[in-house]
Amino acid sequence: MKRIQPASALKSKKGKTAIIVILALAVIGLVLWLVLRPRPAAASLPVVEVSPVTTSDVNVYGEYAGRIRAQQFVEVRARVEGYLEKMFFEEGTHIDKGQTMFLIDRKVYKALAEKARAQLNKARSNALKAERDLARIRPLYEQNAASQLDLDNAEAAYESAKAEESVAAADLTQAELVLSYTTVTSPISGYVSERVADIGTLVGPGGKSLLATVVKSDTVLVDFSMTALDYLNSKNRDVNIGHKSESRQWEPYVTVTLADGSEYPLKGLVDFASPQVDPTTGTFSVRAEMPNPDHVLLPGEFTRVKVLKDVRTDAVEVPSKAIEIERGGAYIYVVRPDSIIERRFVETGPEAGNNIVIERGLSAGENIVTEGFHKLRHGMKVQPVIARPDTTSTTQL
């Protein structure tokens, strides 16, 4: 006989089943949540751009304000007084050394030269007569036919006549020299300016003496000034500005800037430096000689002078942007092999373009931060990337 369960038992059994189902669903939901829940993002390291430190030969330049000067600038002046008669050149053209430029009225000076020549001829005649008289007296004296006084007088007359001949010869030389001054020639080869005196003008000592100027500018001189600190730094590097060195493999050459801002293609050499400093400016004068075959550089113009002051061999140089300057000095962020940042003090040297030479504190082969170092701290771990020199992309280390 089948036993019938009471209604309360059935209700209890259904409740337990529901609880089990609910618990199973809760467990399944918890598992699904644990599996599918969003995971927290891993902490990312700051990315910095680094460059390896290299060594190379660095040219150290200095820039100064300079002025072009002609190698020779000669004023042509009248050395004798007279009226200007002729001119034998075209203004602004090239003339050769010794070429006739002007002719001054020479009538008076020609007459003086002829007078001096006549005086010389007269003195020569007197000297010849005195020589003949002495030649006659000397044998007579030896034969006791003439006295000692006669011989002395004859010798004195001869010596006096010879002296007068010498004076007359000197007067003729001087007169001919003054006569030659009436023909004004160019003392050098170069380009002649416009004439200063017009034809018919009284020129010379009592009148206008300057006639024209001749400029030799195939080679020009560049004058500029350097500071006492430049001199001291050069001495510390055993570089004597303005002096050649047998041991030095380079020379302090100079380049200049043209009026349009371009660089003059030829280079000059520093050949002189003043031995003293101007106390009013704290600078000393330096001169360079520069070829100017096409006369592109004009005497008197101002220019920018760039001077090779030193050559650092195997120097450590870094980009200027990689250096942080503070009151305590200059710092560079170095990335160690374990990607830890080290804030390192360095001693900087001269600038070379966009780079700076590092005297102490950095070695070749180390990696330094060149971009993104403004939020870095000493001891921080970073993710360094190296910028390729030929592109803008980076390579992760």
Side-chain angles (χ1 to χ4, degrees):
M1 180 174 179
K2 187 175 179 181
R3 183 178 180 182
I4 299 175
Q5 295 179 351
S8 61
L10 290 175
K11 290 181 179 180
S12 176
K13 185 176 182 180
K14 289 180 180 180
K16 291 180 179 179
T17 303
I19 291 173
I20 293 172
V21 171
I22 292 172
L23 291 175
L25 291 176
V27 171
I28 293 172
L30 179 61
V31 171
L32 290 176
W33 179 80
L34 291 175
V35 172
L36 299 178
R37 67 175 179 175
R39 298 182 180 275
S44 60
L45 299 176
V47 178
V48 294
E49 183 177 314
V50 301
S51 295
V53 177
T54 60
T55 60
S56 61
D57 293 344
V58 178
N59 293 340
V60 180
Y61 296 94
E63 291 192 3
Y64 310 92
R67 188 175 183 180
I68 306 298
R69 177 165 56 95
Q71 186 182 37
Q72 286 184 283
F73 183 89
V74 180
E75 294 181 340
V76 179
R77 295 182 177 272
R79 303 179 67 176
V80 294
E81 186 177 87
Y83 290 98
L84 200 62
E85 288 190 339
K86 294 181 180 180
M87 184 180 74
F88 299 94
F89 65 92
E90 294 184 10
E91 297 165 311
T93 60
H94 186 274
I95 60 176
D96 298 323
K97 181 179 180 179
Q99 181 177 331
T100 300
M101 299 179 63
F102 298 96
L103 182 64
I104 300 173
D105 182 18
R106 55 189 299 165
K107 299 182 182 68
V108 174
Y109 302 104
K110 186 176 181 181
L112 292 175
E114 291 176 353
K115 180 181 178 180
R117 186 175 291 105
Q119 293 289 347
L120 176 60
N121 291 333
K122 179 180 178 181
R124 284 175 177 171
S125 298
N126 291 336
L128 181 59
K129 178 181 181 301
E131 183 180 8
R132 291 172 179 174
D133 291 343
L134 178 60
R136 286 193 298 269
I137 291 295
R138 186 171 283 119
L140 293 177
Y141 172 76
E142 293 175 354
Q143 298 174 6
N144 292 325
S147 66
Q148 181 68 46
L149 180 61
D150 294 333
L151 178 62
D152 292 341
N153 289 338
E155 289 177 346
Y158 173 70
E159 295 296 336
S160 177
K162 293 298 291 182
E164 290 179 0
E165 181 184 2
S166 298
V167 171
D171 290 341
L172 176 60
T173 300
Q174 182 179 10
E176 289 179 340
L177 184 62
V178 173
L179 177 62
S180 69
Y181 292 158
T182 60
T183 302
V184 182
T185 60
S186 176
I188 61 172
S189 297
Y191 285 86
V192 62
S193 69
E194 63 178 349
R195 69 175 185 270
V196 178
D198 293 327
I199 303 302
T201 303
L202 179 65
V203 297
K208 197 170 189 176
S209 62
L210 180 61
L211 304 180
T213 57
V214 181
V215 178
K216 183 180 180 182
S217 56
D218 295 335
T219 299
V220 295
L221 303 177
V222 184
D223 297 321
F224 57 98
S225 296
M226 299 179 71
T227 65
L229 180 59
D230 290 327
Y231 177 80
L232 180 61
N233 292 336
S234 298
K235 292 295 291 183
N236 291 337
R237 293 284 299 164
D238 197 24
V239 177
N240 292 322
I241 299 175
H243 299 277
K244 293 185 177 181
S245 174
E246 297 272 337
S247 59
R248 193 169 57 210
Q249 301 298 321
W250 57 276
E251 292 296 336
Y253 65 81
V254 168
T255 58
V256 298
T257 302
L258 299 177
D260 60 358
S262 62
E263 186 176 286
Y264 183 62
L266 301 180
K267 299 177 180 179
L269 288 177
V270 175
D271 65 345
F272 170 77
S274 176
Q276 61 181 3
V277 172
D278 185 348
T280 59
T281 62
T283 62
F284 63 98
S285 301
V286 183
R287 183 187 69 197
E289 190 175 90
M290 180 165 292
N292 188 34
D294 298 326
H295 301 93
V296 176
L297 302 176
L298 296 178
E301 68 176 325
F302 291 92
T303 183
R304 293 294 301 174
V305 183
K306 186 177 180 180
V307 186
L308 177 62
K309 300 193 298 183
D310 195 8
V311 175
R312 299 291 186 93
T313 57
D314 295 329
V316 173
E317 61 174 342
V318 299
S320 302
K321 62 181 181 179
I323 298 179
E324 185 180 28
I325 305 297
E326 291 186 358
R327 184 176 299 177
Y331 298 88
I332 288 182
Y333 287 96
V334 180
V335 181
R336 299 190 319 210
D338 56 0
S339 298
I340 298 298
I341 290 293
E342 178 184 346
R343 190 169 185 257
R344 185 181 300 175
F345 172 78
V346 293
E347 181 180 345
T348 59
E351 295 185 10
N354 294 326
N355 296 334
I356 295 181
V357 174
I358 301 299
E359 302 286 7
R360 278 185 288 273
L362 201 60
S363 302
E366 294 185 292
N367 289 321
I368 61 172
V369 179
T370 57
E371 292 289 348
F373 61 81
H374 298 290
K375 296 182 180 181
L376 298 180
R377 300 188 309 275
H378 180 79
M380 177 185 292
K381 191 176 182 64
V382 296
Q383 180 178 336
V385 292
I386 295 182
R388 296 177 182 175
D390 55 342
T391 65
T392 57
S393 62
T394 59
T395 302
Q396 183 172 333
L397 289 177

